[in-house]
Amino acid sequence: MKRNRWHDTRKIPRKGDSLSGGVLFGTRPKKNQKTLCRYTPFRFHSSDNAFFDWIDIYCNMNKPKIIQIIDVVSNAIAGNRIDEDFIKSCIYGKVDAELYAHLLGKYRGYDGDFFQFYLGTDDRINRALLENLGIKVEPDKYPDYDSRIVAQVVQGKKRFDIYPFELEAFNRYAMFGNNNALSCLKGISPTAGQTVRENGINEYGNALNWSLFWIKANPEDKALLVDHVLNIPER
């Protein structure tokens, strides 16, 4: 069974970190503290009602598009179409030789887990990954990393208002899948848990197992899972 992990990347800032360091907010849950899902390390705050009102509208408008993005990536993962050669095709010519070697080493270090690699690389690489799978990604809303951090922390904007929609949508799903075992599906939908059992899918939370579930899931369970993922407050 997968244990909780606090994922620390440039994309998931921690409280107290500097602007230049790339991480800025986020808190660990205290012992016995209530969470949205017992595997999900996010806390309730007084501003959550406003967040949920906003995300309900946003989710309902864009849910079909988010499901389509996850469909494309999940089928590619389950079909073994995302491998080292695919990663090479995404980054070749977009980075210098040193970073090219570093990114390939990182991919190997993650044992080819696409969720971890996606979460551990920046938006430029994320864009290349999704676009090479045939997903059209909208233009950048902010020109560079520092301006996005200022918009998020100083101006208080939502991440969907800062990052390209497709990148942020899959980032949230990958974060959830990377931090959660498939056993948490039982708390989201009884039929989702049944899908895992009937197909003998390993409950360990990684990109392959979540993709195997996703391609077998019915449309209703996909929609419920997207609702759950998007309703995790930004921290």
Side-chain angles (χ1 to χ4, degrees):
M1 183 64 64
K2 192 166 191 175
R3 296 178 292 112
N4 271 354
R5 290 184 294 176
W6 185 253
H7 201 80
D8 184 14
T9 70
R10 283 184 51 176
K11 293 181 164 188
I12 306 299
R14 279 187 171 178
K15 184 176 181 181
D17 287 336
S18 66
L19 284 172
S20 60
V23 287
L24 285 159
F25 61 73
T27 54
R28 287 180 182 270
K30 298 177 182 178
K31 185 177 181 181
N32 299 324
Q33 187 169 28
K34 184 177 180 180
T35 59
L36 286 174
C37 171
R38 68 191 183 96
Y39 299 100
T40 308
F42 289 96
R43 293 167 43 175
F44 285 103
H45 288 252
S46 60
S47 61
D48 285 343
N49 287 338
F51 173 85
F52 288 131
D53 290 342
W54 177 87
I55 204 67
D56 282 345
I57 297 172
Y58 200 86
C59 179
N60 288 331
M61 290 175 56
N62 294 284
K63 190 186 304 180
K65 187 175 182 181
I66 296 170
I67 290 173
Q68 185 178 30
I69 292 168
I70 302 173
D71 278 342
V72 171
V73 180
S74 296
N75 277 285
I77 293 171
N80 295 317
R81 290 190 285 116
I82 297 180
D83 54 16
E84 189 168 318
D85 287 338
F86 172 82
I87 301 300
K88 289 178 179 178
S89 71
C90 292
I91 64 177
Y92 183 79
K94 295 181 174 65
V95 297
D96 60 33
E98 183 178 359
L99 184 54
Y100 180 85
H102 172 73
L103 289 170
L104 288 181
K106 178 179 286 191
Y107 179 75
R108 295 167 189 148
Y110 292 141
D111 293 325
D113 185 85
F114 188 72
F115 284 176
Q116 292 188 64
F117 185 72
Y118 187 94
L119 294 167
T121 51
D122 63 23
D123 295 336
R124 179 178 50 153
I125 303 302
N126 290 170
R127 175 183 289 277
L129 294 172
L130 296 191
E131 289 182 340
N132 274 31
L133 289 172
I135 298 170
K136 186 177 180 179
V137 179
E138 68 179 4
D140 289 333
K141 299 172 182 177
Y142 287 84
D144 53 42
Y145 177 73
D146 287 342
S147 64
R148 290 190 285 270
I149 290 298
V150 170
Q152 186 173 356
V153 177
V154 178
Q155 300 173 4
K157 292 190 175 182
K158 305 293 185 184
R159 288 178 60 87
F160 271 118
D161 294 328
I162 301 170
Y163 299 91
F165 173 83
E166 296 79 9
L167 301 189
E168 176 62 13
F170 191 74
N171 179 77
R172 293 192 177 214
Y173 179 70
M175 174 65 67
F176 175 82
N178 190 58
N179 285 335
N180 291 280
L182 276 72
S183 56
C184 76
L185 285 168
K186 291 179 284 189
I188 299 173
S189 164
T191 54
Q194 184 178 351
T195 298
V196 173
R197 293 192 302 273
E198 289 181 349
N199 290 278
I201 301 171
N202 191 317
E203 292 187 341
Y204 183 81
N206 61 20
L208 177 59
N209 293 335
W210 276 106
S211 297
L212 292 173
F213 160 75
W214 185 269
I215 65 176
K216 296 290 186 180
N218 61 49
E220 292 77 15
D221 286 344
K222 289 181 179 181
L224 286 172
L225 180 54
V226 168
D227 282 341
H228 181 82
V229 169
L230 292 184
N231 273 285
I232 296 172
E234 295 181 13
R235 293 289 174 257

